[in-house]
Amino acid sequence: MVAGRIDLTLNRIGSAWPSIVWLSVRRGSGYSTQICFELGNNRAFIRRVTSGPEAPDSEAWRLDRSLPCDFSEGVVEISLFIDISSVELFLNNGDATLSQLINARISDTSLNLATVQGSVMVSKVSISS
């Protein structure tokens, strides 16, 4: 997906979240932009250091941008807007938001969801372009 919207809901399984949930977007040829959810720590961030081959050589570009969000209820509603040069993240109907410029190649359109040390139930998935 070069440009579009992804909506999904993550539901905790049992009493604890996985340590990390990664949603990688605009993937291809070794590049991707990662949206990371540290649900047990009530934090989300966007990592763009590997978003594409022409990344600016600056510390500001390499830093992850993060935001706090309350994930203690065991449910996270995610809306992610992606276009040619940016990602915008909305959590729990706009309770927390974050946006970042990216430098993905036009041909990098894959996405992936992965967890570390645990599982989540994914529901209400909608992907539109």
Side-chain angles (χ1 to χ4, degrees), residues 10-21 38-42 71-76 116-121:
L10 302 179
N11 298 278
R12 186 174 55 214
I13 297 174
S15 62
W17 288 106
S19 60
I20 297 174
V21 176
E38 292 180 332
L39 300 161
N41 293 329
N42 292 312
F71 301 126
S72 63
E73 294 295 318
V75 177
V76 181
V116 176
Q117 296 177 342
S119 301
V120 294
M121 183 173 70

Side-chain angles (χ1 to χ4, degrees), residues 45-101:
F45 63 88
I46 297 175
R47 178 169 290 160
R48 65 181 176 176
V49 69
T50 59
S51 66
E54 303 295 327
D57 185 20
S58 74
E59 186 64 24
W61 184 269
R62 290 185 291 274
L63 288 176
D64 297 337
R65 293 210 38 221
S66 66
L67 71 151
C69 192
D70 183 8
F71 301 126
S72 63
E73 294 295 318
V75 177
V76 181
E77 294 180 4
I78 300 166
S79 292
L80 186 65
F81 295 85
I82 305 163
D83 66 23
I84 297 278
S85 61
S86 68
V87 294
E88 295 180 88
L89 174 65
F90 295 83
L91 299 174
N92 296 333
N93 297 311
D95 284 348
T97 63
L98 184 60
S99 64
Q100 279 283 53
L101 293 174

